[in-house]
């Protein structure tokens, strides 16, 4: 959700794929913020939510109700392939995988911050992946990076498509990364994509670039 020019179309695509059994979907922090708004809660209208609400305004109430039910039914994370793969928006530590609680859901949606604020006014994220030693591979996003980053059996896949970066997918179990360039910059980032330099290696994966530009939307793993 948010920052792109066609959020209702993204919702229709994702909801139809989940309904048809061709995709699984985990929620992100922007999705839950929209859900809270649709449920009548007071939320701060920023980071692209105003544009999303404007795009949803002309949609029929039946569609908005369907969106609300869909978002409300999403689980915080998936444990797949017999416990070998975990998918969560902001990642998940080993002891939280496969569990259900408010703390697990909060970590999967928002990650964890250090309590500090950087020079751009954004929270400094606690880099849980640096201490990760779990058996399951964890695929996650949340914080945009210039290139997908492997670290301790985790893969950070958010390469900032909406900010003019790329849409990156992981082919599993091949560990192959597929990166598609954004068609344009849809939203200027508050913090430059190259702010956090990668210090990890991607030598155990194959990266393939596509010439076809990507429209902004949900991150994809397959």
């Amino acid at each position: 959700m948010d920052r792109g020019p066609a959020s209702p179309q993204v919702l229709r695509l994702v909801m139809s794929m989940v309904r048809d059994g061709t995709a699984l979907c985990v929620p992100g922090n922007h999705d839950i913020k929209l859900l809270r708004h649709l449920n009548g809660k007071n939320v701060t209208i920023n980071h692209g939510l105003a544009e999303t609400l404007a795009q949803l305004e002309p949609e029929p109430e039946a569609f908005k109700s369907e969106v609300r039910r869909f978002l409300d039914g999403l689980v915080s994370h998936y444990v797949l392939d017999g416990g070998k793969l975990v998918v969560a928006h902001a990642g998940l530590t080993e002891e939280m995988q496969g569990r259900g609680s408010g703390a697990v859901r909060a970590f999967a949606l928002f990650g964890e911050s250090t309590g500090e604020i950087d020079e751009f006014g954004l929270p400094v994220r606690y880099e849980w992946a640096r201490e990760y030693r779990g058996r399951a591979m964890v695929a996650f996003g949340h914080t945009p990076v210039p290139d997908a980053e492997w670290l301790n059996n985790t893969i950070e896949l958010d390469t900032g498509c909406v900010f003019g970066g790329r849409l990156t997918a992981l082919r599993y179990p091949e560990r192959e990364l597929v990166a598609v360039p954004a068609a344009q910059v849809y939203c200027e980032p508050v913090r430059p994509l190259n702010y956090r330099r990668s210090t990890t290696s991607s030598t155990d994966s194959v990266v393939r670039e596509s010439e076809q530009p990507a429209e902004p939307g949900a991150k994809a793993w397959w």
Side-chain angles (χ1 to χ4, degrees):
M1 298 309 307
D2 300 338
R3 297 193 176 105
S7 289
Q9 290 91 321
V10 170
L11 281 163
R12 284 190 170 90
L13 174 63
V14 173
M15 291 191 302
S16 67
M17 292 177 69
V18 171
R19 182 178 60 247
D20 295 343
T22 59
L24 299 172
C25 178
V26 292
N29 53 308
H30 287 252
D31 310 309
I32 297 306
K33 191 173 183 180
L34 173 63
L35 175 62
R36 294 187 65 212
H37 177 85
L38 293 175
N39 284 335
K41 306 293 185 181
N42 290 324
V43 298
T44 303
I45 309 298
N46 59 2
H47 301 307
L49 180 57
E51 290 82 355
T52 295
L53 294 178
Q55 294 165 21
L56 285 171
E57 180 63 30
E59 296 289 340
E61 290 302 319
F63 175 69
K64 297 174 190 176
S65 295
E66 184 183 359
V67 168
R68 183 164 52 245
R69 288 192 297 270
F70 175 76
L71 295 178
D72 191 48
L74 294 177
V75 299
S76 65
H77 67 287
Y78 278 101
V79 179
L80 305 170
D81 194 18
K84 297 178 183 177
L85 175 66
V86 170
V87 177
H89 174 69
L92 208 60
T93 59
E94 183 178 20
E95 63 272 15
M96 289 183 168
Q97 294 168 12
R99 299 180 179 273
S101 70
V104 169
R105 188 169 180 82
F107 196 105
L109 289 169
F110 305 101
E112 186 177 4
S113 67
T114 65
E116 302 170 285
I117 300 297
D118 66 19
E119 61 265 42
F120 304 99
L122 299 175
V124 177
R125 303 292 180 189
Y126 172 67
E127 296 191 57
W128 62 274
R130 294 195 176 279
E131 301 174 5
Y132 183 74
R133 298 295 184 271
R135 179 178 72 91
M137 179 192 303
V138 181
F140 70 103
H142 190 48
T143 302
V145 291
D147 300 290
E149 298 179 350
W150 288 99
L151 180 62
N152 295 332
N153 207 26
T154 76
I155 178 66
E156 157 68 282
L157 289 166
D158 186 347
T159 47
C161 180
V162 79
F163 299 128
R166 291 174 292 174
L167 184 67
T168 299
L170 168 69
R171 290 191 187 277
Y172 178 87
E174 296 87 348
R175 298 174 70 96
E176 179 187 14
L177 297 173
V178 183
V180 183
Q184 65 183 74
V185 176
Y186 297 91
C187 177
E188 290 291 344
V190 174
R191 181 168 55 202
L193 278 179
N194 62 358
Y195 171 72
R196 183 164 66 92
R197 301 290 184 179
S198 172
T199 58
T200 59
S201 172
S202 298
T203 55
D204 55 352
S205 66
V206 178
V207 180
R208 185 173 75 244
E209 295 283 353
S210 170
E211 296 296 331
Q212 183 65 35
E215 296 296 333
K219 288 177 287 296
W221 297 273
W222 70 84

